[in-house]
């Protein structure tokens, strides 16, 4: 009989695996259990504390639906989603960042130069840039899937007053790899706080805020897909995003443009007479095909 003690339990656990176990699964399970066993020893975890943790996970399970996954949110606020992003990022490409729960698959196409602001309140923001690969070539035919909050801080799926596709659109880049659209500034908002994750944040004295951001998913043939978001440099939560999504290369700037300088070739050309903001942000994709 193997002697199970606090010091041997991790090795005994590994001894239960079959020799045919997939080696990657084995390595992941070994790392996970070694660290969790060490965590229990180091913190001197009590029955009461572990029961509370399991109750929180049970609550997360009960409220998780296809539209709201509390386990993903838990991974986000613990920094695990962002750590997985960072260690899997492609050198030379724009950093990836959390997807979040508010992306809608099958958003309608938006013409290049199109408008997402529609009748919403706020100054016009012109967002433009180029999709390039990590060798510096413009990427034609890339799809740039964009989504953001309305000025009230809500995504369309959270707000019955909005059309489900408001502030969602998919642009396809032209031969020069460029994309452009008009919108309004997205705003800072809180992650959902009415479940176990909210309770955990509250108990830890943490706020639930995210800095304002624009989300992008960029896809192109021969390139790795990029899921990312970009944040304005003047947002008060830039250095304290509750889901750790901000990276240095994902910070952008609103640059005020004088009245009369709105460019041609856009859906709003000829309709923007006053000042407006401009954001320039290039999106760099890692090539997946050989050089
Ligand atoms: C979001 O950016 O939409 C988001 C990301 C993580 C958790 C909640 C929201
Ligand atoms: Fe978001």
């Amino acid at each position: 009989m193997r002697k199970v003690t606090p010091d041997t339990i991790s090795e005994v656990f590994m001894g239960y695996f079959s020799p045919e176990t997939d080696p990657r699964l084995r390595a992941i399970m070994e790392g996970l259990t070694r660290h969790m066993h060490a965590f229990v020893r180091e913190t001197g975890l009590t029955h009461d504390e572990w029961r509370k943790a399991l109750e929180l996970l049970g609550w997360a399970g009960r409220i998780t639906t296809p539209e709201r996954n509390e386990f993903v949110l838990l991974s986000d606020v613990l920094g695990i989603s962002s750590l997985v992003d960072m260690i899997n990022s492609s050198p030379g490409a724009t950093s990836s960042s959390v997807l979040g729960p508010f992306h809608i698959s099958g958003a309608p196409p938006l013409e290049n130069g199109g408008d997402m602001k529609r009748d919403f309140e706020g100054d016009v923001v012109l967002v433009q840039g180029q999709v390039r690969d990590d060798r510096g070539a413009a990427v034609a035919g890339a799809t740039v899937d964009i989504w953001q909050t309305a000025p009230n801080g809500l995504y369309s799926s959270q707000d019955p007053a909005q059309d489900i596709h408001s502030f969602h659109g998919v642009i396809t880049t032209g031969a020069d790899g460029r994309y452009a659209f008009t919108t309004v500034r997205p705003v800072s908002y809180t992650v959902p706080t009415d479940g176990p994750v909210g309770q955990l944040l509250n108990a830890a004295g943490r706020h639930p805020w995210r800095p304002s951001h624009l989300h992008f998913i960029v896809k192109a043939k021969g390139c790795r897909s990029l899921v990312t978001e970009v944040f304005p440099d003047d947002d008060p939560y830039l250095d304290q995003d509750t889901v750790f999504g901000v990276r240095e290369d994902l910070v952008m700037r609103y640059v005020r443009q004088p009245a009369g300088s709105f460019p041609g070739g856009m859906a709003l050309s000829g309709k923007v007479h006053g000042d407006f903001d401009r954001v320039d942000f290039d999106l760099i994709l890692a090539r997946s095909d050989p050089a």
Side-chain angles (χ1 to χ4, degrees):
M1 191 183 77
R2 282 183 255 238
K3 195 158 171 356
V4 181
T5 71
D7 293 328
T8 64
I9 190 165
S10 305
E11 256 157 61
V12 174
F13 174 87
M14 287 314 297
Y16 289 175
F17 276 71
S18 125
E20 284 88 51
T21 306
D22 175 78
R24 179 65 183 156
L25 174 70
R26 192 189 178 96
I28 289 171
M29 290 303 292
E30 176 166 16
L32 179 68
T33 47
R34 265 190 208 290
H35 285 282
M36 288 200 66
H37 292 164
F39 152 77
V40 172
R41 282 190 299 268
E42 282 165 24
T43 57
L45 200 69
T46 66
H47 283 107
D48 226 28
E49 289 160 345
W50 188 232
R51 188 181 43 74
K52 276 195 190 128
L54 294 177
E55 272 170 18
L56 276 186
L57 292 177
W59 182 10
R62 286 192 298 280
I63 66 168
T64 288
T65 62
E67 289 77 38
R68 174 181 182 173
N69 191 321
E70 194 75 359
F71 292 101
V72 174
L73 186 59
L74 183 61
S75 156
D76 293 343
V77 303
L78 292 178
I80 297 172
S81 308
S82 283
L83 189 52
V84 172
D85 262 346
M86 288 187 281
I87 68 168
N88 287 289
S89 74
S90 308
T94 300
S95 296
S96 59
S97 188
V98 290
L99 172 68
F102 302 118
H103 176 249
I104 294 179
S105 46
L110 181 68
E111 62 181 310
N112 205 345
D115 177 50
M116 294 207 305
K117 176 180 186 298
R118 298 197 249 169
D119 294 330
F120 284 86
E121 289 281 302
D123 286 355
V124 171
V125 180
L126 164 60
V127 183
Q128 60 180 15
Q130 188 184 37
V131 180
R132 286 195 300 278
D133 67 18
D134 52 6
R135 298 167 203 160
V139 181
T143 55
V144 183
D145 188 341
I146 307 144
W147 70 106
Q148 65 167 87
T149 58
N152 64 359
L154 296 175
Y155 286 91
S156 59
S157 57
Q158 299 174 292
D159 184 1
Q162 283 182 60
D163 174 319
I164 190 67
H165 290 133
S166 80
F167 293 108
H168 289 262
V170 184
I171 291 177
T172 302
T173 58
D176 56 3
R178 294 197 64 80
Y179 74 91
F181 61 97
T182 44
T183 185
V184 288
R185 290 186 185 210
V187 297
S188 322
Y189 64 86
T190 67
V191 298
T193 54
D194 56 344
V197 170
Q199 203 172 82
L200 209 60
L201 291 174
N202 195 35
R206 278 177 58 179
H207 71 69
W209 287 88
R210 297 214 63 206
S212 59
H213 51 268
L214 290 166
H215 288 273
F216 293 104
I217 297 178
V218 192
K219 292 184 180 174
K221 207 164 156 263
C223 294
R224 281 184 67 179
S225 298
L226 172 69
V227 178
T228 195
E229 33 180 10
V230 300
F231 306 85
D233 62 354
D234 59 357
D235 193 289
Y237 293 105
L238 193 66
D239 288 319
Q240 36 177 318
D241 180 5
T242 202
V243 303
F244 311 93
V246 181
R247 313 277 171 269
E248 223 157 0
D249 66 316
L250 299 182
V251 178
M252 50 85 158
R253 172 165 292 177
Y254 294 115
V255 183
R256 202 74 188 151
Q257 304 295 306
S261 64
F262 194 81
M266 304 278 302
L268 294 189
S269 299
K271 296 182 188 141
V272 180
H273 305 294
D275 293 1
F276 64 97
D277 284 321
R278 199 184 78 205
V279 169
D280 291 279
F281 199 87
D282 293 345
L283 295 153
I284 314 300
L285 301 181
R287 289 221 73 96
S288 55
D289 50 12

